[in-house]
């Protein structure tokens, strides 16, 4: 028997991927998942390099994240286990970034874990708050950056890979997000 708390929050999400330099495959992958304990998780991974090898790195990272988040251990410990696994694997110089978002749909608490990833943006009360990464890619460092937030209705969380931040000035992106705050997630993602 699994007893889950009542879900008070609803997450509406959208995603898009576009490959680099007209490649047929992107090095970015994502995971969206509802857990058995009323949480919603979202993960974005970007494999080092481009094309198929980058795709494989990020896909492998997210497959492991998917499996370990099914275990009965907290997400932070799960990520630490995976981080240590990636540190000990043989494929040197093969790294992936990881943004991991855990939203408790009962309490509205958000935990954001950043490992070598690009800036995350949270739009709240018509103001964008950038959350910067100060860490190395997944499996390189022992340190996993964790940010905690209490979500409010209509907060907007935008995860991007370096494919966006390399081509759009951060200030311009923040201004754009603030102007589009009333648009649907689909429209915002498509326009970015």
């Amino acid at each position: 028997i699994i007893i889950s708390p009542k879900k008070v929050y609803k997450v509406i999400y959208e995603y898009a991927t576009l490959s680099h330099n007209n490649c047929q495959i992107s090095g970015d992958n994502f995971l969206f998942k509802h857990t058995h304990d009323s949480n919603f998780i979202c993960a974005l991974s970007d494999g080092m390099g481009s094309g198929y090898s980058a795709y494989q790195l990020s896909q492998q990272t997210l497959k492991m994240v998917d499996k370990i988040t099914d275990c009965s251990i907290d997400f932070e410990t799960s990520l630490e286990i995976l981080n240590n696994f990636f540190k000990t694997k043989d494929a040197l110089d093969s790294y992936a970034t990881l943004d991991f978002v855990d939203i408790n749909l009962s309490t509205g608490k958000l935990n954001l874990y950043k490992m070598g990833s690009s800036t995350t943006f949270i739009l709240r009360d018509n103001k964008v708050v950038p959350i910067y990464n100060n860490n190395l890619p997944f499996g390189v460092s022992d340190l996993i950056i964790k940010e905690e937030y209490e979500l409010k209705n209509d907060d907007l969380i935008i995860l991007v890979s370096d494919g966006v931040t390399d081509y759009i000035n951060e200030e311009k992106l923040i201004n754009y997000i603030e102007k589009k705050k009333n648009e649907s997630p689909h429209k915002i993602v498509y326009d970015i």
Side-chain angles (χ1 to χ4, degrees), residues 4-13 32-42 75 101-111 149-155 157:
S4 296
K6 181 179 179 182
K7 296 177 184 176
V8 178
Y9 291 87
K10 180 180 177 183
V11 175
I12 301 170
Y13 62 92
F32 300 101
K33 176 177 169 179
H34 286 273
T35 66
H36 62 83
D37 56 356
S38 297
N39 284 36
F40 176 80
I41 62 172
C42 168
F75 296 138
V101 176
D102 161 36
I103 300 173
N104 184 310
L105 299 176
S106 297
T107 64
K109 182 178 176 183
L110 174 140
N111 291 311
Y149 292 90
E150 294 294 327
L151 291 177
K152 295 182 180 180
N153 283 332
D154 299 323
D155 279 355
I157 304 159

Side-chain angles (χ1 to χ4, degrees), residues 2 7-8 13 29 41 50 55 68 72-73 77 95 99 102 106 109 115 145 149 152-153 161-162 164 166 184:
I2 297 175
K7 296 177 184 176
V8 178
Y13 62 92
N29 280 288
I41 62 172
S50 61
Y55 168 83
I68 203 160
S72 297
I73 52 178
T77 302
Y95 303 108
D99 263 325
D102 161 36
S106 297
K109 182 178 176 183
M115 290 142 285
I145 304 296
Y149 292 90
K152 295 182 180 180
N153 283 332
S161 72
D162 61 358
V164 172
D166 285 350
S184 70

Side-chain angles (χ1 to χ4, degrees), residues 14-20 25-30 44 55 161 189:
E14 187 62 55
Y15 60 90
T17 183
L18 184 64
S19 60
H20 181 68
I25 195 162
S26 171
D28 300 346
N29 280 288
F30 43 85
L44 170 65
Y55 168 83
S161 72
V189 167

Side-chain angles (χ1 to χ4, degrees), residues 6-135:
K6 181 179 179 182
K7 296 177 184 176
V8 178
Y9 291 87
K10 180 180 177 183
V11 175
I12 301 170
Y13 62 92
E14 187 62 55
Y15 60 90
T17 183
L18 184 64
S19 60
H20 181 68
N21 289 337
N22 296 324
C23 290
Q24 292 188 358
I25 195 162
S26 171
D28 300 346
N29 280 288
F30 43 85
L31 168 72
F32 300 101
K33 176 177 169 179
H34 286 273
T35 66
H36 62 83
D37 56 356
S38 297
N39 284 36
F40 176 80
I41 62 172
C42 168
L44 170 65
S45 181
D46 181 7
M48 189 173 88
S50 61
Y52 190 70
S53 61
Y55 168 83
Q56 283 184 306
L57 285 169
S58 63
Q59 186 67 18
Q60 176 190 16
T61 300
L62 291 181
K63 280 183 181 179
M64 295 182 78
V65 166
D66 185 28
K67 294 288 185 197
I68 203 160
T69 54
D70 285 337
C71 298
S72 297
I73 52 178
D74 65 87
F75 296 138
E76 189 165 358
T77 302
S78 298
L79 292 174
E80 288 173 1
I81 290 168
L82 283 180
N83 192 45
N84 286 328
F85 169 77
F86 278 101
K87 282 175 60 176
T88 59
K89 70 180 188 147
D90 295 340
L92 297 175
D93 296 331
S94 297
Y95 303 108
T97 66
L98 181 66
D99 263 325
F100 183 90
V101 176
D102 161 36
I103 300 173
N104 184 310
L105 299 176
S106 297
T107 64
K109 182 178 176 183
L110 174 140
N111 291 311
L112 172 64
Y113 302 88
K114 297 189 73 59
M115 290 142 285
S117 52
S118 294
T119 304
T120 297
F121 304 93
I122 297 181
L123 175 65
R124 168 177 287 167
D125 300 327
N126 301 322
K127 180 80 174 145
V128 173
V129 177
I131 302 166
Y132 299 102
N133 178 66
N134 296 317
N135 201 0

